[in-house]
Amino acid sequence: MWAFLVEQPNLPYTIAFACVLALGVFEAFALVIGLSMMSALDQWVPIDADYDADVSPGGLTGIAGWLCLNRLPLLIWFVLALTSFSIAGYIVNFISFNVAGLLLPQLFTLPIAIVASAFSCRYLGRVLADHLPKNESSAISLDDLSGYVATITLGCAIKGMPSEAVVRDKHQQKHYVLVEPETSGIEFASGTQVVLLKREGRVWSATCFDN
């Protein structure tokens, strides 16, 4: 068994599997001393994105979404990808050894293992994401700011000429938005508190906040 694992054609898969074991040991040790690599990785990679931003579904964003990279904690995703990669490589070489009596070169097995790992992340990743406990995210949609009180920070807002305002959401995070009065003939000077009513594009219509 050991000879099969350390054969030259199997080295990439053995290294990947060894990395998974090392990650598991390190995470267990880190938890004992009160740290967590999973938490550190999730803080290092920003996951609270502005979901209302105009982001093209193509390119790297689309690939990351297809691979479920945005739905799983980064450490779990790495473990899934490396484990799938190593298992796929082992299976291909095991079948080849039992059928033809030899191991296939890495030139043939690596593409198969990479594709198998990608599909594993896609489909098994979705299953894992649906069953993992979810923490409440501090990211909210901009439309959820309706009804919140904002303060005009720059200039004077009139109908058709919005001005910048700052609003804090339920997580006390600041959002800078463009605000204009709901009706004509009203001005919002700097420092005025207003209630956000409805968003059209990037601009919020608002009314004065009465304390």
Side-chain angles (χ1 to χ4, degrees):
M1 182 65 180
W2 176 252
F4 174 80
L5 295 179
V6 297
E7 285 285 348
Q8 178 64 31
N10 277 332
L11 279 183
Y13 318 115
T14 300
I15 292 172
F17 190 69
C19 289
V20 172
L21 294 179
L23 287 172
V25 171
F26 186 87
E27 178 70 6
F29 177 75
L31 289 175
V32 170
I33 63 175
L35 300 173
S36 174
M37 186 163 59
M38 182 184 298
S39 299
L41 283 172
D42 287 337
Q43 291 175 5
W44 177 62
V45 178
I47 59 175
D48 292 335
D50 181 0
Y51 296 110
D52 289 325
D54 295 329
V55 179
S56 171
L60 293 178
T61 302
I63 295 174
W66 191 88
L67 292 174
C68 290
L69 185 57
N70 58 345
R71 298 187 60 189
L72 290 171
L74 192 60
L75 182 60
I76 292 179
W77 188 89
F78 272 131
V79 169
L80 175 61
L82 290 174
T83 303
S84 303
F85 174 78
S86 60
I87 291 176
Y90 285 145
I91 289 176
V92 171
N93 273 329
F94 181 78
I95 293 174
S96 171
F97 184 78
N98 281 275
V99 172
L102 52 85
L103 301 180
L104 292 175
Q106 295 176 11
L107 180 64
F108 295 99
T109 59
L110 282 175
I112 297 174
I114 292 172
V115 171
S117 178
F119 277 96
S120 177
C121 290
R122 168 63 175 174
Y123 295 105
L124 290 181
R126 291 173 64 181
V127 174
L128 282 175
D130 291 338
H131 288 83
L132 283 176
K134 297 178 176 60
N135 296 324
E136 183 180 2
S137 173
S138 60
I140 69 171
S141 168
L142 290 181
D143 290 327
D144 292 337
L145 295 176
S146 178
Y148 281 78
V149 176
T151 302
I152 304 298
T153 57
L154 294 174
C156 180
I158 61 176
K159 184 69 174 178
M161 296 184 63
S163 186
E164 182 188 83
V166 61
V167 56
R168 289 184 180 270
D169 61 27
K170 62 182 179 181
H171 303 290
Q172 296 304 305
Q173 292 182 334
K174 287 184 178 181
H175 301 267
Y176 290 90
V177 295
L178 293 177
V179 171
E180 67 178 12
E182 183 182 19
T183 57
S184 301
I186 299 177
E187 296 182 357
F188 296 151
S190 179
T192 302
Q193 289 189 310
V194 298
V195 179
L196 302 181
L197 300 176
K198 182 181 179 181
R199 185 169 71 98
E200 294 184 4
R202 298 178 58 197
V203 179
W204 281 89
S205 60
T207 186
C208 282
F209 173 67
D210 295 325
N211 293 317

